[in-house]
């Protein structure tokens, strides 16, 4: 069973950085794993970014990643084991950043680059969701009730 973000009020959402509001919204869907929700929150950062350079966009993404990781390590942010949540968020953000930032090297026009980053991010999300379904489908025969998967 996937851990969920602690329930927040509308007032708390207004005081939270938008990236955390986005993360909570994506975690409302039980089919979305925490790392994928973090990736989707980062896609929102790209969409809202007012940066005019690739370096500015990278800085926005680094700041948002830092906010997500720090939030996941705070007590009562997620149910139960916070250490696992920090690893999941950190890993999801790092994979996402490595996958999408290749566009920075391929295109010179910033707006085209930003569009390419969004496209790659959405593709990466689809790949991640499909991989989860594939693993569940192929692995269900090998895992019995009560077993722990590491």
């Amino acid at each position: 069973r996937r851990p969920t973000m602690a329930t927040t009020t509308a007032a708390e959402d207004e005081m939270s950085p938008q990236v955390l509001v986005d993360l909570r919204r994506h975690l409302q869907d039980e089919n979305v794993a925490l790392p994928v929700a973090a990736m989707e929150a980062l896609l929102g950062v790209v969409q809202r970014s007012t940066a005019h350079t690739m370096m500015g966009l990278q800085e926005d993404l680094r700041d948002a990643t830092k906010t997500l990781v720090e939030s996941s390590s705070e007590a009562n942010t997620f149910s139960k084991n916070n250490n696992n949540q920090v690893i999941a968020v950190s890993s999801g953000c790092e994979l996402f950043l490595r996958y999408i930032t290749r566009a920075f090297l391929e295109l010179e026009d910033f707006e085209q680059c930003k569009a390419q980053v969004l496209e790659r991010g959405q593709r990466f999300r689809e790949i991640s969701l499909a991989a989860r379904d594939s693993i569940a489908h192929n692995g269900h025969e090998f895992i019995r009730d009560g077993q722990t998967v590491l």
Side-chain angles (χ1 to χ4, degrees):
R1 183 172 161 89
R2 180 181 60 78
T4 58
M5 194 94 175
T7 305
T8 60
T9 64
E12 288 172 324
D13 274 353
E14 286 181 22
M15 296 178 65
S16 295
Q18 185 62 43
V19 69
L20 294 179
V21 174
D22 289 348
L23 179 66
R24 289 183 190 107
R25 182 172 40 84
H26 293 298
L27 285 174
Q28 302 268 325
D29 182 351
E30 289 185 9
N31 295 319
V32 176
L34 180 57
V36 176
M39 291 175 201
E40 292 191 57
L42 290 178
L43 272 175
V45 170
V46 174
Q47 290 170 332
R48 289 185 302 276
S49 178
T50 58
H52 298 289
T53 64
M54 293 176 210
M55 292 299 287
L57 182 57
Q58 281 183 310
E59 187 175 319
D60 288 349
L61 288 168
R62 275 194 303 269
D63 291 345
T65 296
K66 182 178 178 185
T67 299
L68 290 169
V69 171
E70 286 175 355
S71 176
S72 68
S73 67
E74 293 174 2
N76 299 322
T77 302
F78 301 104
S79 64
K80 300 204 179 176
N81 193 337
N82 284 353
N83 289 331
N84 290 344
Q85 306 322 306
V86 172
I87 293 168
V89 169
S90 179
S91 298
C93 290
E94 184 64 31
L95 284 171
F96 177 80
L97 292 174
R98 286 180 187 229
Y99 184 79
I100 66 163
T101 54
R102 290 184 302 155
F104 293 162
L105 303 173
E106 297 172 3
L107 299 169
E108 291 184 27
D109 179 62
F110 178 71
E111 290 305 316
Q112 285 181 338
C113 181
K114 190 173 176 180
Q116 182 73 20
V117 166
L118 287 169
E119 183 182 316
R120 284 188 178 180
Q122 291 165 348
R123 190 174 334 127
F124 191 72
R125 175 196 183 277
E126 292 167 7
I127 290 167
S128 297
L129 289 173
R132 182 179 182 184
D133 291 341
S134 178
I135 291 168
H137 176 75
N138 293 324
H140 82 278
E141 295 177 19
F142 303 103
I143 300 170
R144 295 185 192 100
D145 288 343
Q147 287 184 318
T148 302
V149 178
L150 300 177

